[in-house]
């Protein structure tokens, strides 16, 4: 290791400067194909090719299939080819809804956007929501009713379950059980309640693998009653996160929280009079929130409770015995009484949530930055206890019929409950799910579920707002909804989900204007006035202060940053999305700090056997800077056996170690090294900018004192310094600005770009060779020590350089400049010399080494944007600034005979961004947002010393550290 670290570095391999790393970086276009001769590698590629991954072409054939086009003989009335329609609906994660607008092209959904009218979305989405369009068309989805391993029919199931129901009815439902995830649907809850009223001895259980178990338990422990907590980050000047990644997709309301938090940061950057928020994050596993923190307090997850207790004590009665960090944070919080937030992580135990509520109440935050409402769950219960009761009843033989609606407990139930062992004792087992998964494999009946884009339903958002879910397409594979299954149990077999939902709301609304109410609710995507009213803050009991945790090795359980709890494992877009923290794809790993790795004699790529509470799994090691010492982190979503052809056999199953008693983390783990050389596919050093200055950061105070810090004179090159004459753009002059102060590195922009532009995935083997195809990457930089570095993120699309190095070397003029300043790719001209990529200093161009686009799986055709071509082998492609959106807006403006207005053109990456970090527009308009951004002092161009004059520029990152804690 070098004695002196560079200011910004990207990986441990870069610091070590190993021969393998140097060879990988310097060999830009290697012939990395010897593994193609390996039958095992070829077999895996062919397996993926025929699955739901958007790729194919192992033969390398570039001849596309013949396509016949036939015009309409009788064109449908009011139909205009090429015009798309948007419909409002919602997606749920853990039962909590987020409002969406879904684009429909020729009657098929093709692109998902956020609903600007929905309080949880405000027009943004996350990566998982963007990728759900691919899940809709996944050919691995369940496509038939299965009875004992054989294809059956819906009618046969109705007959069988009706008989079982009637048998149970003779005993008032005794022996009949329902197991659902967390339910916020008012309609479904009403159906279940009606069913339980008819059969009072039947029981309803709920369980979510990554549910809000500790949140609910914390509320009950804090006040003795369930409640929901909403945080107003737009009002908070000081935020203390107790292992809470409130900026990630795992927390309800995260999109709104990201918007509010980032808006405060942008406002403080633009106006010195604004108070910038200050974020402290106490955590052991690096997170998105930790990357945005002014002060990341690295500690084991099990030590967060002691930290929170010490902070509570210091606020209650200051003591000289407190640490300097605790005293400084307490002082900061006291100075911002009523304008601060303590937020506890969903994986932290109930005691930490009680401490957070107590501190918020002590500081006067309740009712100001921390609001309380009724629970959003239709039946707020202790889901872990509910699952324990179900398992106990199955073990005793008390369960004769069990209907699992949408979950996969055989895969994700806590390991100590031995769910599968007891599940086998149930006489009639029914599973409703999108996939014939691990639970379906052990069920007597499996029913294909409808995707949310095929379903009628309703659900509540994080603040209680209700959305009506309406389908964009009829069920592709004949899927059924939970509403339809409950109708069968209530002898309403022919009743549709639409009628069920509509009838419920008709019963809740005056008949006189119901039709208007219904149409307005469907159109807007929200039911007006349905958000919960703020409740009087509960009386928080005095928290019980815990003891110092054991010093033994800790293991931390977390949903995967890409595929979450595993329900999205078969989604290839998410599998190939680099995880924000380590840029790894197609895998999970055992995360460990460099110091602990040295202590235990392991390194990245070593396979170890993990043991925890008598259970064992094997997984590969990944050394992650910033991770807490004496702690391991494992992620869910992998080790699947029946997820689909994409996900089966990838990674290891962390659920196999997770007990119900230590649902978030526990101490007493051990690891044993088994072997070495496990291959990872990572993008973190595929492109490098070594010995350059790609990232620029300063404090808010330093910026206001020295506004030109991002553009030092010695590195500034005037725009006029060029060998070529300056071109005058008379019409439009497109440009982009990316605010690094707001960007959280969530990668939603990456998946939005993939969905919008028909970008293929390539698989793990190709990614490991540096051949990933994403047009937009998010670079992750470290600054500081190996043990506790600061983390920064920088999205890098095509720069659309004014002096574009790629254009000079293309022998066939495939990459050219448009009259509006776009660097364009003419695919039909490209012959694949790759000179342009070699000459691009930003390395943002992607080459189709193989025929990655899938021309064979017909169901996947529906996911493609018809406004963007699907590329073949042998051509170069890159970010186009969503030229199809630019063209569409220009055509519409010409139809109206009106000039384009600022904000009328929104790129896919800009539209999805919850932090509003990306701005696009016309530089010829001095009042446009992008023009104003580029006039800011902190605006700078990436590698501007090369005089490429990029149209994409950045606003430097600003921080607001506590002067008492800022390191020299």
């Amino acid at each position: 290791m070098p004695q002196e670290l560079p200011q910004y570095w990207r990986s441990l391999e870069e610091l070590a400067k190993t021969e393998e790393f140097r060879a990988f970086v310097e060999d830009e276009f290697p012939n990395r194909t010897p593994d193609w001769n390996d039958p095992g590698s070829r077999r895996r590629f062919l397996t993926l090719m025929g699955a739901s991954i958007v790729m194919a072409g192992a033969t390398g054939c570039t001849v596309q299939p013949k396509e016949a086009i036939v015009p309409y003989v009788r064109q449908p009335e009011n139909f205009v080819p090429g015009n798309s329609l948007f419909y409002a609906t919602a997606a749920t994660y853990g039962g909590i809804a987020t409002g969406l607008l879904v684009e429909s092209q020729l009657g098929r959904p093709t692109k998902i956007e956020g609903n600007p009218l929905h309080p949880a979305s405000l027009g943004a989405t996350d990566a998982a929501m963007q990728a759900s369009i691919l899940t809709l068309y996944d050919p691995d989805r369940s496509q038939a009713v299965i009875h004992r391993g054989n294809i059956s029919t819906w009618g046969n199931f109705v007959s069988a379950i009706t008989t079982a129901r009637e048998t149970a009815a003779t005993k008032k439902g005794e022996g009949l059980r329902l197991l659902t995830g967390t339910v916020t649907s008012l309609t479904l809850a009403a159906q279940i309640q009606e069913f339980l009223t008819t059969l009072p001895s039947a029981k309803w259980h709920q369980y979510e693998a990554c549910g809000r178990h500790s949140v609910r338990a914390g509320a009950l422990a804090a006040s003795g009653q369930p409640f929901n907590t909403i945080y107003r980050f737009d009002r908070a000047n000081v935020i203390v996160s107790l292992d809470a990644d409130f900026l990630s997709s795992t927390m309800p309301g995260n999109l709104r929280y990201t918007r509010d938090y980032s808006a405060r940061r942008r406002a403080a950057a633009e106006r010195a009079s604004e108070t910038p928020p200050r974020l402290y994050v106490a955590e052991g596993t690096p997170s998105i929130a930790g990357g945005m923190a002014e002060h990341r307090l690295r500690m084991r997850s099990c030590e967060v409770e002691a930290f929170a207790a010490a902070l509570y004590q210091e606020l209650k009665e200051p003591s000289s015995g407190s640490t300097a960090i605790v005293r400084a944070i307490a002082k900061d919080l006291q100075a911002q009484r009523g304008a601060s937030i303590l937020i506890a992580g969903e994986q932290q135990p109930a005691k930490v949530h009680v401490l957070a509520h107590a501190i918020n109440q002590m500081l006067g935050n309740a009712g100001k930055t921390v609001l309380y409402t009724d629970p959003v769950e239709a039946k707020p219960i202790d889901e872990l206890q509910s699952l324990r009761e179900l398992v106990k009843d199955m073990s005793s033989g008390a369960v004769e019929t069990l209907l699992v609606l949408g979950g996969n407990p055989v895969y994700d139930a806590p390991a100590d409950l031995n769910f599968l062992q007891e599940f086998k004792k149930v006489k009639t087992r029914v599973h409703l799910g999108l996939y014939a998964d691990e639970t379906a494999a052990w069920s007597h009946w499996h029913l294909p579920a409808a995707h949310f884009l095929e379903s009628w339903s309703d659900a509540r958002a994080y603040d209680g707002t209700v959305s009506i879910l309406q389908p964009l397409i009829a069920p592709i594979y004949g899927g059924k909804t939970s509403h339809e299954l409950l109708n069968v149990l209530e002898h309403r077999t022919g009743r549709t989900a639409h009628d069920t939902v509509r009838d419920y709301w008709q019963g809740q609304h005056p008949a006189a204007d119901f039709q208007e109410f219904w149409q307005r609710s469907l159109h807007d995507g929200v039911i007006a006035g349905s958000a919960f009213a703020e409740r009087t803050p509960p009386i928080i009991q005095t928290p019980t202060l815990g003891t110092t945790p054991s010093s033994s090795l800790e293991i931390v359980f977390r949903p995967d940053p890409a595929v979450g709890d595993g329900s999205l494992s078969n989604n290839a877009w998410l599998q190939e999305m680099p995880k924000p923290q380590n840029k790894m794809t197609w895998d999970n790993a055992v995360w460990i700090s460099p110091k602990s790795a040295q202590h235990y004699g392991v390194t990245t790529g070593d396979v170890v056997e993990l043991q925890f509470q008598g259970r064992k799994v094997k997984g590969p090691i990944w050394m992650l800077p910033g991770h807490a010492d004496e702690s391991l982190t494992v992620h869910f979503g992998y080790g699947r056996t029946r997820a689909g052809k994409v996900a089966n056999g990838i990674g290891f199953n962390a659920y196999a170690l997770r007990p119900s008693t230590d649902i978030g983390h526990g101490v007493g783990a051990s690891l044993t090294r088994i072997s070495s050389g496990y291959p990872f596919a990572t993008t973190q050093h595929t492109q490098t900018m070594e010995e350059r200055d790609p990232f620029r950061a300063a404090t808010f105070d330093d910026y206001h004192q020295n506004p030109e810090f991002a553009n030092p004179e010695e590195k500034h090159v005037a725009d006029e310094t060029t060998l070529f004459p300056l071109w005058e753009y008379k019409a439009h002059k497109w440009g982009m600005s990316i605010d690094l102060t707001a960007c959280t590195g969530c990668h939603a922009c990456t998946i939005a770009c993939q969905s919008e532009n028909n970008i293929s995935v390539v698989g793990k083997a190709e990614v490991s060779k540096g051949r990933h195809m994403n047009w937009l990457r998010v670079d992750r930089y470290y600054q500081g020590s190996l043990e506790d570095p600061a983390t920064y993120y920088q999205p890098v699309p095509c720069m659309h350089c004014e002096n574009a190095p790629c254009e000079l070397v293309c022998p066939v003029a495939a990459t050219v400049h448009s009259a509006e300043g776009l660097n364009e790719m003419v695919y039909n001209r490209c012959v694949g010399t790759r000179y342009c990529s070699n000459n691009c200093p930003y390395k943002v161009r992607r080459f189709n080494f193989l025929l990655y686009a899938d021309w064979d799986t017909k169901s996947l055709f529906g996911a493609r944007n018809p406004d963007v071509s699907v590329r073949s082998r042998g051509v170069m492609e890159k970010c186009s600034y969503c030229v199809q959106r630019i063209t569409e807006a220009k055509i519409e403006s010409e139809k109206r005979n009106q000039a384009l207005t600022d904000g009328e053109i929104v790129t896919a990456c800009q539209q999805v961004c919850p932090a509003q970090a990306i701005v696009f527009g016309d530089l010829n308009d001095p009042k446009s947002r992008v023009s104003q951004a580029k006039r800011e002092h902190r605006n700078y161009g990436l590698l501007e010393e090369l005089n490429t004059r990029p149209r994409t520029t950045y606003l430097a990152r600003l921080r607001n550290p506590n002067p008492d804690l800022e390191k020299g």
Side-chain angles (χ1 to χ4, degrees):
M1 288 286 179
Q3 295 298 317
E4 183 177 348
L5 296 177
Q7 182 175 4
Y8 298 106
W9 48 281
R10 299 179 61 170
S11 67
L12 296 175
E13 293 83 357
E14 179 180 341
L15 292 181
K17 297 187 182 298
T18 62
E19 293 182 4
E20 294 81 4
F21 172 76
R22 298 306 314 166
F24 186 93
V25 172
E26 293 174 1
D27 193 9
E28 185 174 4
F29 295 122
N31 183 23
R32 299 181 182 132
T33 56
D35 59 333
W36 191 246
N37 296 320
D38 174 50
S41 173
R42 186 165 62 252
R43 189 177 304 113
R44 173 63 178 166
F45 188 96
L46 291 171
T47 298
L48 292 175
M49 178 187 69
S52 60
I53 193 168
V54 189
M55 62 181 285
T59 62
C61 177
T62 60
V63 178
Q64 300 175 8
K66 294 181 179 179
E67 299 178 353
I69 57 173
V70 180
Y72 282 103
V73 177
R74 293 185 179 91
Q75 181 171 305
E77 187 177 358
N78 299 324
F79 173 77
V80 180
N83 283 9
S84 59
L85 299 174
F86 282 85
Y87 296 86
T89 184
T92 59
Y93 182 87
I96 312 297
T98 301
L100 305 176
L101 293 180
V102 185
E103 183 178 19
S104 177
Q105 299 262 13
L106 300 177
R108 59 182 174 86
T110 58
K111 183 68 170 61
I112 290 176
E113 308 292 358
N115 183 352
L117 299 180
H118 196 279
S121 168
L122 299 182
T125 58
D126 59 29
M129 294 174 195
Q130 287 293 316
S132 61
I133 201 76
L134 181 61
T135 300
L136 169 66
Y137 296 105
D138 187 352
D140 281 351
R141 278 179 52 193
S142 178
Q143 301 183 22
V145 175
I146 303 296
H147 181 221
R148 295 184 179 273
N150 298 313
I151 295 177
S152 187
T153 65
W154 173 250
N156 290 340
F157 166 74
V158 170
S159 298
I161 199 64
T162 300
T163 300
R165 185 223 186 268
E166 293 308 312
T167 300
T170 62
K171 299 178 287 184
K172 297 184 178 181
E174 184 177 344
L176 186 58
R177 301 286 191 274
L178 297 178
L179 175 60
T180 69
T182 301
V183 173
T184 66
S185 167
L186 282 75
T187 302
L188 184 60
Q191 286 183 275
I192 294 176
Q193 190 56 51
E194 181 183 8
F195 170 70
L196 295 177
T197 301
T198 305
L199 301 176
S201 294
K203 293 183 180 180
W204 171 27
H205 301 273
Q206 296 180 74
Y207 174 71
E208 287 281 350
C210 293
R212 310 178 73 196
H213 312 298
S214 296
V215 176
R216 299 186 192 96
L220 290 170
S223 67
Q225 56 181 314
F227 58 79
N228 181 47
T229 311
I230 299 173
Y231 301 94
R232 292 298 302 268
F233 288 96
D234 57 330
R235 301 175 181 175
N237 295 331
V238 175
I239 304 157
V240 178
S241 163
L242 303 174
D243 201 14
D245 193 1
F246 61 92
L247 302 176
S248 81
S249 59
T250 59
M251 179 168 285
N254 72 289
L255 297 174
R256 177 61 178 267
Y257 294 158
T258 300
R259 175 69 60 87
D260 291 346
Y261 171 72
S262 298
R264 286 290 310 279
R265 293 176 65 87
R266 283 198 313 276
E270 295 168 0
R271 298 182 295 276
S273 59
E274 292 285 340
T275 301
R278 180 173 295 148
L279 174 61
Y280 303 89
V281 176
E283 65 179 11
T285 304
S287 68
I288 290 177
M292 296 299 293
E294 272 74 28
H295 299 284
R296 181 176 178 270
L297 312 175
R298 188 174 67 108
M299 61 185 70
R300 294 189 299 161
S301 293
C302 63
E303 295 169 346
V304 171
E305 181 183 342
F307 168 78
L311 189 58
Y312 173 81
Q313 287 283 59
E314 179 66 17
L315 288 166
K316 184 178 181 182
E317 186 175 349
S319 169
S320 59
S322 299
T323 66
I325 292 176
V326 169
R327 288 199 303 271
I329 296 175
K331 177 183 176 182
D332 213 1
L333 288 169
Q334 289 284 18
Q336 297 294 339
R337 297 177 63 86
S340 56
I341 289 175
L342 269 289
I343 180 170
E346 296 189 327
Q347 305 298 329
Q348 281 292 317
K351 288 183 178 180
V352 177
H353 290 264
V354 175
L355 283 163
H357 289 304
I359 294 174
N360 279 320
Q361 194 165 75
M362 185 189 304
L363 293 171
N365 296 332
K368 297 177 181 177
T369 59
V370 181
L371 310 181
Y372 299 93
T373 71
D374 291 335
V376 297
E377 299 89 351
K379 182 183 178 183
I381 61 172
D382 183 340
E383 292 186 356
L384 282 172
Q385 183 58 31
S386 179
L387 188 65
R388 290 191 190 101
E389 293 172 0
L390 174 61
V391 171
K392 181 180 178 180
D393 287 350
M394 291 192 299
S395 178
S396 67
V399 182
E400 296 181 2
T401 301
L402 173 61
L403 289 82
V404 181
L405 307 186
N408 188 10
V410 169
Y411 167 67
D412 59 27
D416 60 322
L417 298 187
N418 298 313
F419 186 90
L420 176 58
Q421 176 181 326
E422 309 306 333
F423 187 55
K424 294 177 184 177
K425 299 177 182 178
V426 179
K427 180 180 177 181
T428 303
R429 306 185 292 271
V430 179
H431 176 255
L432 173 71
L434 275 180
Y435 294 87
D437 56 26
E438 291 84 351
T439 300
W442 293 97
S443 299
H444 300 111
W445 288 94
H446 166 70
L447 313 173
H451 189 272
F452 77 86
L453 292 176
E454 303 169 329
S455 305
W456 284 97
S457 190
D458 54 12
R460 286 195 185 273
Y462 80 108
D463 66 345
T465 298
V466 179
S467 291
I468 303 294
L469 280 68
Q470 61 176 328
L472 271 290
I473 193 171
I476 299 172
Y477 303 121
K480 302 295 182 179
T481 66
S482 296
H483 300 295
E484 292 168 294
L485 187 52
L486 263 296
N487 282 337
V488 171
L489 295 177
E490 281 298 290
H491 302 300
R492 301 189 183 101
T493 303
R495 193 185 190 196
T496 65
H498 167 269
D499 292 345
T500 304
V501 176
R502 192 178 189 279
D503 289 350
Y504 171 82
W505 285 103
Q506 191 163 14
Q508 306 297 312
H509 200 84
D513 63 344
F514 173 75
Q515 187 61 27
E516 180 182 350
F517 157 81
W518 180 252
Q519 292 297 330
R520 174 58 59 186
S521 298
L522 292 180
H523 177 273
D524 293 348
V526 294
I527 293 182
S530 59
F532 285 133
E534 184 180 347
R535 203 163 89 176
T536 302
I539 299 175
I540 305 299
Q541 301 175 8
T542 302
T544 302
L545 304 184
T547 58
T548 303
S550 167
S551 60
S552 59
L553 185 63
E554 173 191 66
I555 186 167
V556 178
F557 304 101
R558 291 289 185 270
D560 186 76
V563 301
D565 59 6
S567 57
L568 298 171
S569 295
N570 210 56
N571 192 296
W573 290 354
L574 294 178
Q575 286 284 4
E576 197 152 295
M577 183 187 82
K579 305 181 200 304
Q581 294 82 2
N582 64 351
K583 315 302 291 180
M584 180 175 65
T585 66
W586 291 99
D587 241 319
N588 63 340
V590 181
W591 290 5
I592 190 172
S593 71
K595 182 178 179 180
S596 291
Q598 184 179 22
H599 173 74
Y600 288 99
V602 295
T603 188
T604 296
D606 284 352
V607 177
V608 299
E609 181 179 76
L610 298 181
Q611 296 189 46
F612 185 59
Q613 296 188 5
R615 286 169 286 276
K616 303 177 181 179
V617 298
K618 294 179 181 179
I621 287 287
W622 183 282
M623 290 193 300
L624 187 65
H627 198 283
D629 298 331
E630 290 301 313
S631 178
L632 309 171
T633 298
V634 293
H635 291 95
F636 307 131
Y638 291 85
R640 301 294 304 274
T641 58
R642 297 196 41 113
K645 296 184 182 68
V646 170
N648 288 345
I650 298 176
F652 64 92
N653 183 9
Y655 286 117
L657 286 179
R658 186 197 200 194
S660 61
T661 52
D662 294 306
I663 204 73
H665 56 260
V667 294
S670 65
L671 64 84
T672 305
R673 183 179 181 277
I674 302 298
S675 60
S676 63
Y678 184 88
F680 286 112
T682 174
T683 65
Q684 71 176 344
H685 51 246
T686 301
Q687 293 88 19
T688 65
M689 295 185 188
E690 48 192 339
E691 301 178 4
R692 291 169 177 172
D693 187 17
F695 200 93
R696 298 173 195 178
T699 67
F700 281 91
D701 288 342
D702 288 343
Y703 169 59
H704 293 311
Q705 293 175 13
N706 177 24
E708 301 295 337
F709 83 94
N711 292 285
E713 290 184 9
E714 63 271 16
K715 292 189 177 181
H716 180 69
V717 179
D719 283 347
E720 290 76 15
T721 307
T722 173
L723 295 174
F724 303 96
L726 296 177
W727 183 266
E728 181 182 358
Y729 295 95
K730 297 181 179 179
H732 303 290
K733 183 180 179 181
W734 306 115
M736 178 177 285
S737 175
I738 302 176
D739 190 347
L740 301 179
T741 298
C743 175
T744 65
C746 69
H747 281 74
C749 54
T750 300
I751 304 302
C753 177
Q754 187 152 19
S755 177
E756 172 73 19
N757 294 293
N758 300 330
I759 299 173
S760 303
V761 296
V762 300
K764 179 177 178 178
E766 292 293 288
V767 172
S768 66
K769 299 171 186 174
R771 293 177 175 175
H772 58 284
M773 292 298 295
N774 298 113
W775 288 5
L776 193 162
R777 72 175 190 268
V778 181
D779 288 342
R780 187 264 294 114
Y781 290 100
Y782 291 126
Q783 182 186 37
S785 66
L786 293 177
E787 293 75 21
D788 195 14
T791 306
Y792 300 118
Y793 296 102
Q794 184 175 47
V796 184
C798 174
M799 297 291 114
H800 289 270
C801 307
E802 188 66 24
N803 295 336
C806 56
E807 297 175 7
L808 303 175
V809 295
C810 181
V812 292
T815 177
V816 295
H817 233 62
S818 77
E820 297 179 350
L822 298 181
N823 176 247
E824 297 181 331
M825 277 299 306
V826 184
Y827 299 132
N828 200 40
R829 294 179 186 169
C830 182
V831 295
T833 63
R834 297 172 289 177
Y835 296 159
C836 58
S837 183
N838 183 268
N839 220 37
C840 174
Y842 307 99
K843 303 307 175 193
V844 291
R845 306 175 79 84
R846 303 286 177 258
F847 184 68
N848 284 270
F849 284 88
L850 300 173
L851 185 60
Y852 297 127
D854 188 342
W855 296 103
D856 301 320
T857 308
K858 292 184 178 180
S859 67
L860 292 176
F861 295 178
R864 291 173 180 158
N865 184 353
D867 297 329
V868 180
S869 63
V870 180
R871 284 77 60 190
S872 185
R873 181 188 182 186
V875 300
M876 190 68 69
E877 54 187 74
K878 61 163 195 72
C879 161
S880 67
Y881 272 168
C882 289
V883 65
Q884 67 278 4
R885 295 190 175 201
I886 297 174
T887 302
E888 181 181 5
K890 288 166 60 179
I891 292 173
E892 291 301 318
S893 70
E894 290 177 4
K895 289 180 180 178
R896 301 192 308 264
N897 196 26
Q898 294 177 345
L900 283 169
T901 58
D902 186 43
E904 195 171 346
I905 300 174
V906 181
T907 63
C909 57
Q910 175 186 5
Q911 187 162 18
V912 73
C913 182
Q916 294 186 306
I918 302 175
V919 176
F920 176 81
D922 189 353
L923 297 176
N924 280 345
D925 178 4
K927 296 182 180 180
S928 67
R929 288 181 59 205
V930 69
S931 294
Q932 295 174 15
K934 290 180 181 291
R935 287 196 296 269
E936 286 198 35
H937 292 290
R938 57 194 179 105
N939 179 69
Y940 75 97
L942 189 61
L943 307 184
E944 59 190 343
E945 62 269 27
L946 302 179
N947 197 28
T948 56
R949 298 171 62 207
R951 285 292 181 82
T952 299
T953 57
Y954 297 88
L955 299 180
R957 168 81 174 266
L958 299 180
R959 302 169 51 249
N960 181 32
N962 187 329
D964 295 337
L965 296 178
E966 181 72 337
K967 300 175 182 178

